[in-house]
Amino acid sequence: MSAEPRINDRIRVPEVRLVGPSGEQVGIVPLAKALELAQEYDLDLVEVAANARPPVCKLMDYGKFKYESAMKAREARKNQAHTVIKEMKLRPKIDPHDYDTKKGHVVRFLKQGDKVKITIMFRGREQSRPELGYRLLQRLAEDVQDLGFIESNPKQDGRNMIMVLGPHKKKTEAMAEARQAQEARKADAKANPGKSQNAAETEGEAAEAPAEAPAEAPAEA
């Protein structure tokens, strides 16, 4: 069965409850009179409530209505928030610098409204020290607690230990904030067209400047 409403000559009832182009209630009129008014306004007679007694019909530009409805549906799909689970893998004895790098990725994912699956990979003798992985996961959860929470507690899965972090911020909120930030940057660039160029020149000058010689380390006693 078609989901399209009946329009114009496809409407087969003796009378209809008519709604005008601006939403005004015209009242119950014979179908012939409603079709006559549609021709006078150069609009379509569209059945909007077929199960009503009598059916409710409205005078409108049906082609324009279909186009606007399609655009709204497209925009809704564009803004639809999809749940995404990112994954980050760590080793139990991770280097501090690598830990900071990995944590930075987790922070970015959570800010985007995505969940993060943290996997600790054990090798060899490390498998006999699961507490190392547990403490690392707890440390990471505490470091990002302002952005996310533990959605799935650490659990052993073969040679791995897994924990899932969920974002405090919903995906839709993160997307909206990202769009606002992008629009703000565009507005700022439009209002200050020379600002970005000056910033680039400053960065170029800083890159060409000679680096200072590192200070000598104090002699050990």
Side-chain angles (χ1 to χ4, degrees):
M1 183 180 295
S2 174
E4 293 282 337
R6 293 188 295 182
I7 65 172
N8 300 327
D9 294 336
R10 292 174 54 198
I11 302 173
R12 302 297 178 85
V13 291
E15 57 186 16
V16 299
R17 184 177 297 277
L18 186 63
V19 179
S22 301
E24 68 275 16
Q25 297 291 330
V26 178
I28 298 176
V29 300
L31 176 62
K33 177 64 176 178
L35 290 171
E36 181 182 335
L37 289 172
Q39 290 182 347
E40 289 181 8
Y41 283 105
D42 193 22
L43 295 172
D44 299 299
L45 181 67
V46 183
E47 190 177 58
V48 295
N51 295 328
R53 291 293 178 267
V56 179
C57 296
K58 184 176 181 180
L59 297 175
M60 68 172 73
D61 184 336
Y62 187 59
K64 181 180 179 182
F65 170 76
K66 286 185 65 177
Y67 173 78
E68 292 178 346
S69 297
M71 292 300 293
K72 289 179 181 178
R74 180 181 177 184
E75 189 66 20
R77 289 193 299 270
K78 180 180 177 182
N79 295 330
Q80 187 176 3
H82 298 281
T83 301
V84 178
I85 299 181
K86 305 289 187 177
E87 183 171 14
M88 187 59 56
K89 297 181 178 181
L90 295 81
R91 294 291 307 282
K93 298 179 181 179
I94 188 171
D95 177 84
H97 176 73
D98 290 339
Y99 173 81
D100 289 338
T101 301
K102 300 277 188 177
K103 183 181 71 174
H105 291 312
V106 174
V107 167
R108 177 163 53 87
F109 295 148
L110 292 174
K111 283 184 176 180
Q112 292 172 353
D114 296 323
K115 296 182 181 181
V116 189
K117 175 183 176 182
I118 312 296
T119 302
I120 303 295
M121 301 179 297
F122 296 94
R123 292 180 183 176
R125 297 180 180 179
E126 292 175 347
Q127 297 180 59
S128 63
R129 300 288 306 279
E131 70 276 6
L132 296 177
Y134 182 82
R135 284 201 295 265
L136 182 59
L137 291 175
Q138 290 295 323
R139 173 189 172 190
L140 180 59
E142 291 176 2
D143 287 347
V144 299
Q145 61 182 342
D146 290 341
L147 299 171
F149 61 96
I150 298 178
E151 185 173 286
S152 178
N153 288 314
K155 63 180 180 180
Q156 197 77 25
D157 183 14
R159 295 185 177 184
N160 300 327
M161 183 175 287
I162 297 171
M163 177 181 72
V164 177
L165 294 175
H168 291 312
K169 187 182 301 179
K170 293 182 179 180
K171 185 72 173 180
T172 50
E173 295 175 356
M175 292 172 63
E177 289 184 4
R179 284 196 298 269
Q180 291 175 357
Q182 184 179 15
E183 292 172 358
R185 287 194 297 269
K186 288 181 179 179
D188 184 59
K190 187 175 181 180
N192 304 283
K195 184 176 180 180
S196 57
Q197 183 177 356
N198 293 336
E201 292 175 355
T202 302
E203 290 179 359
E205 292 175 358
E208 295 175 359
E212 295 183 3
E216 296 184 359
E220 295 183 0

